[in-house]
Amino acid sequence: MSSASLEQVLAATGYLPDGQPAPGLRLGPDALALRRGRSFSPDAVWRSPSALSVYFKFEQTRPPDASVSVWRREIWNEGFAPLLWVISPEWIDLYNGFGAPISENDAQAHLIQTFENVEGALEKLDRLAGRLSIETGQFWLKTGTVDRRTTVDQKLLSDLHYLERDLIGDHLEREAAQALIGRAIFTQYLIDRDIVSAARLRKLCGHTTLPLILRDGDATKQLFSWLAQTFNGDMFPASSIARTPRASHLARVADFLEAVDPQTGQRSFFPYQFDVIPVEVISSIYEQFARAAPPTVTRSVTSADRDGVHYTRVSLVSLVLDEVMQGLEGTESVLDLTCGSGVFLVEALRRLVLLRAGGKPPSRDLIRSTLYQQIYGVDLSEAAIRVAAFSLYLAALELDPDPQPPHALRFRPLIGNTLLVGDAHTIDQTGDGPAAIATPQGPKKFDVIVGNPPWSFKGKRGTAERRSNRDADTPLQPRGEGLDFLFRAIEFSHEHTRFGMVLSALPFF
């Protein structure tokens, strides 16, 4: 009955036409393989080329709101799925997957519409949320309640903006504030993934949760010292580890983790599950920090705006890498000359590891060798490179089938070896670049070159500077500098290099 009823609904809405799965539809075990959550087990998943997903769950009887709330919270933390379909023999309930969780039993607050599981109602369901409606974009015009502005990435970026603002307003230097937030998120990720257990926390610090540790200065110092020794030190500047922030700063981060409103002091519902949130989304905290003006300055133009820093959505990364990495063996090298917080590199690492593993669980040695030898990134910002290292470490832990014990997880430094701080136009000639990405014959050659280079236009002065630095034989883009990075990337390519770079369409016209 389960299979027949589910297949009937999928067939009526275009996801299973003529009894065959539509492109992107996964059923049964294949659907489960796409999940990274704790308890939600879908019976089918449809995923578009841009990673947008629709989850289908069949139950013999209509599930209680408490169960649906748990499923929907996991889906929201993933950030890919605008819809959850809960199907029973008599009813089909559509839930908003992009709505931020507000309480433990909030399913009804996110219910979009209910349909009877009968032919006439299935036709209405198809018109609203069938595959054709989703793929053509009609769904977004018909359903105003599903809003991308409430997705996990937007919510997390907003919350971290306010957290950073409050820390800076309490006289903590911006670099130290970002490092403190990064350490808190990294630690909570380890706890949520059970890499660091409550028992270990008690043994180390005398407390079993991170907020309690942060409210105890001595315990915090012990925890941060242990993290630095255990997981190595690319993630945070040495200056930020040398001294523990003062009690008020630690308490503000603890308040964030306990969902305490900084204005009212009231505790609400903490929506985040850092073991479910994609590492790429966590890495986007750099773009959040880069775009935020200091709290005492009006946000007109920030360094991020001037330098063309922008948040690259995970869906865009998936769209690019689906094309550029198709048919690879997994042994290829990848370079991003404008890597920012490493969103392209993280997804490239994941795909290379899975290709090398050939369908088997990857070993730690395979994961680490891929990370240390095949993934390269360059960026002007040291802060960005640190977050890229942080993100790649998290991705390596996520891929590890048994990331235990913690003392066995020490990473080699990436910064200065495969992650380089500097100008992409001269990186092979300055700093750590010559040793990392240069050879006696010139720039090192890479198999895949990806990225989202700056689209910024810096006016006449910027154009004049670009003209003075360019080779006489290299064409100059009229506005912006995206193509400059493409021409630079060519110097790191060989005859069979694949390129996947996001560029403005304007110069091509």
Side-chain angles (χ1 to χ4, degrees):
M1 180 61 184
S2 167
S3 174
S5 186
L6 176 62
E7 289 180 5
Q8 175 186 341
V9 173
L10 293 174
T13 52
Y15 294 97
L16 197 67
D18 301 321
Q20 298 298 316
L25 183 71
R26 306 282 186 91
L27 298 167
D30 290 339
L32 289 174
L34 292 177
R35 286 284 300 140
R36 68 178 81 199
R38 302 176 180 181
S39 57
F40 176 57
S41 301
D43 296 297
V45 179
W46 177 80
R47 180 161 291 180
S48 75
S50 63
L52 191 74
S53 303
V54 176
Y55 283 113
F56 304 88
K57 178 69 174 175
F58 180 87
E59 294 284 289
Q60 285 289 353
T61 58
R62 222 171 183 176
D65 283 353
S67 297
V68 176
S69 297
V70 170
W71 301 341
R72 210 204 59 80
R73 184 187 177 199
E74 279 196 16
I75 290 169
W76 178 80
N77 271 276
E78 263 187 8
F80 293 118
L83 284 178
L84 165 64
W85 296 35
V86 179
I87 302 166
S88 62
E90 296 181 352
W91 303 99
I92 302 157
D93 296 318
L94 256 60
Y95 291 92
N96 175 8
F98 280 175
I102 53 180
S103 65
E104 290 188 359
N105 294 291
D106 64 349
Q108 289 302 310
H110 301 286
L111 179 64
I112 298 171
Q113 197 167 337
T114 294
F115 298 85
E116 283 191 84
N117 198 348
V118 296
E119 185 174 350
L122 289 178
E123 291 176 0
K124 294 180 181 178
L125 172 60
D126 181 37
R127 288 195 294 271
L128 175 67
R131 184 168 68 95
L132 181 62
S133 180
I134 296 287
E135 289 194 331
T136 60
Q138 289 299 306
F139 167 77
W140 304 99
L141 300 177
K142 299 174 183 176
T143 314
T145 56
V146 182
D147 189 344
R148 292 179 185 271
R149 290 173 295 183
T150 61
T151 55
V152 65
D153 56 340
Q154 296 302 307
K155 172 70 172 164
L156 179 59
L157 293 177
S158 175
D159 285 352
L160 294 183
H161 164 71
Y162 288 114
L163 175 57
E164 184 201 31
R165 182 202 64 183
D166 290 348
L167 291 172
I168 294 173
D170 193 22
H171 309 294
L172 184 64
E173 292 182 2
R174 197 170 190 210
E175 183 184 71
Q178 293 175 9
L180 174 58
I181 293 170
R183 270 181 290 181
I185 291 176
F186 178 68
T187 307
Q188 193 61 57
Y189 174 92
L190 297 175
I191 294 169
D192 284 353
R193 280 289 302 267
D194 291 327
I195 296 171
V196 177
S197 65
R200 179 171 290 274
L201 288 176
R202 181 184 293 279
K203 183 178 180 180
L204 282 170
C205 313
H207 303 286
T208 57
T209 69
L210 183 55
L212 287 175
I213 292 171
L214 291 172
R215 297 186 192 281
D216 180 335
D218 290 338
T220 300
K221 187 174 182 179
Q222 289 176 313
L223 175 63
F224 285 176
S225 176
W226 179 80
L227 285 173
Q229 293 171 7
T230 303
F231 293 98
N232 201 15
D234 269 354
M235 290 176 291
F236 316 111
S239 60
S240 71
I241 298 174
R243 64 181 186 275
T244 304
R246 68 172 189 248
S248 62
H249 302 144
L250 297 175
R252 177 63 184 91
V253 178
D255 285 347
F256 162 72
L257 294 173
E258 291 180 329
V260 175
D261 188 298
Q263 294 181 326
T264 65
Q266 297 296 312
R267 185 174 297 182
S268 57
F269 181 68
F270 187 70
Y272 303 113
Q273 297 173 313
F274 287 113
D275 59 325
V276 178
I277 300 175
V279 172
E280 302 92 318
V281 172
I282 297 177
S283 75
S284 71
I285 60 175
Y286 169 68
E287 280 81 358
Q288 158 63 29
F289 292 162
R291 281 191 173 277
T296 57
V297 178
T298 301
R299 189 193 185 285
S300 53
V301 178
T302 69
S303 61
D305 298 319
R306 290 191 298 271
D307 296 337
V309 175
H310 39 279
Y311 168 40
T312 306
R313 285 187 174 273
V314 176
S315 57
L316 178 59
V317 174
S318 296
L319 186 65
V320 171
L321 293 186
D322 280 348
E323 294 292 327
V324 77
M325 297 187 72
Q326 185 174 5
L328 296 183
E329 296 179 357
T331 57
E332 293 79 6
S333 57
V334 177
L335 170 67
D336 186 344
L337 287 169
T338 55
C339 69
S341 59
V343 63
F344 273 99
L345 298 181
V346 165
E347 183 60 20
L349 171 67
R350 181 178 291 117
R351 294 178 185 226
L352 289 175
V353 166
L354 295 178
L355 285 170
R356 287 185 61 187
K360 299 178 181 178
S363 67
R364 182 174 300 161
D365 287 343
L366 184 150
I367 295 167
R368 297 298 173 88
S369 65
T370 306
L371 173 62
Y372 298 145
Q373 300 170 22
Q374 296 175 240
I375 302 295
Y376 289 76
V378 178
D379 202 90
L380 272 172
S381 168
E382 181 181 349
I385 287 293
R386 289 197 181 280
V387 177
F390 161 84
S391 304
L392 287 166
Y393 288 156
L394 289 185
L397 291 176
E398 185 179 78
L399 289 163
D400 197 320
D402 184 25
Q404 296 287 348
H407 63 75
L409 300 180
R410 185 175 176 85
F411 289 96
R412 293 184 203 167
L414 301 180
I415 298 175
N417 294 304
T418 54
L419 296 180
L420 306 173
V421 180
D423 188 333
H425 299 292
T426 58
I427 191 63
D428 56 324
Q429 304 162 29
T430 59
D432 297 313
I437 57 173
T439 69
Q441 292 74 39
K444 183 177 179 178
K445 307 304 180 183
F446 291 84
D447 303 308
V448 178
I449 301 178
V450 295
N452 187 359
W455 292 18
S456 56
F457 174 56
K458 301 179 181 179
K460 294 181 179 180
R461 179 180 298 179
T463 300
E465 181 181 343
R466 290 169 56 230
R467 283 175 177 162
S468 66
N469 293 332
R470 76 182 177 104
D471 184 278
D473 297 326
T474 302
L476 184 68
Q477 182 178 337
R479 293 176 66 88
E481 53 185 337
L483 287 182
D484 294 356
F485 288 93
L486 175 59
F487 288 120
R488 176 59 171 151
I490 291 172
E491 298 177 26
F492 290 90
S493 68
H494 54 68
E495 183 179 357
H496 301 291
T497 296
R498 299 184 180 191
F499 293 85
M501 301 179 72
V502 182
L503 300 169
S504 169
L506 204 57
F508 295 97
F509 291 96

